Amino acid sequence: MSEQWKPICLVNDIPELGARVVNRPSKTDVAIFRNGEGKIFALLDKCPHKGGPLSQGIVFGERVACPLHNWNIELPSGCAVSPDEGCTTRFSVKVEDGQVYLDSNELSTL
């Protein structure tokens, strides 16, 4: 495995239909989501609307509802569902043998 990929947690450490937060000193945290089909997504833990913590939202399908104003954010893209507009940063995710990895370059720069 390339040094580019940083091990974060096990898939089972992320609640189904929920999220786990990756703390980043001096940067906004990253939220790692697990949907009902077991797919893993990673977004900046900040809604593009008013900055609400997406990690505290409700996951359904491939979307998360922001806990502040119920904006729906697409997990694969980080973009709000129309008619709302705006995107949050998406992070590359790799899952191998039940382990979740994030791109260390993205974690340090985005």
Side-chain angles (χ1 to χ4, degrees), residues 16-96:
E16 187 172 328
L17 300 178
R20 179 181 175 116
V21 175
V22 178
N23 295 306
R24 299 190 306 163
S26 74
K27 292 189 182 290
T28 303
D29 292 341
V30 175
I32 304 176
F33 299 92
R34 180 175 165 202
N35 73 1
E37 291 78 48
K39 292 182 182 176
I40 306 298
F41 306 91
L43 300 175
L44 196 66
D45 194 16
K46 186 176 180 180
C47 180
H49 177 224
K50 297 280 185 179
L54 294 176
S55 61
Q56 296 177 24
I58 296 170
V59 175
F60 60 101
E62 292 194 355
R63 297 179 177 172
V64 61
C66 178
L68 293 186
H69 300 101
N70 207 35
W71 275 35
N72 291 326
I73 308 299
E74 295 277 358
L75 292 171
S77 68
C79 292
V81 176
S82 184
D84 298 323
E85 296 179 351
C87 296
T88 193
T89 303
R90 182 187 66 81
F91 291 81
S92 301
V93 177
K94 183 191 291 194
V95 178
E96 285 186 359

Side-chain angles (χ1 to χ4, degrees), residues 1-7 92-94 101-104:
M1 166 117 3
S2 164
E3 290 181 20
Q4 171 185 351
W5 294 99
K6 179 178 180 175
S92 301
V93 177
K94 183 191 291 194
Y101 298 87
L102 293 181
D103 183 311
S104 59

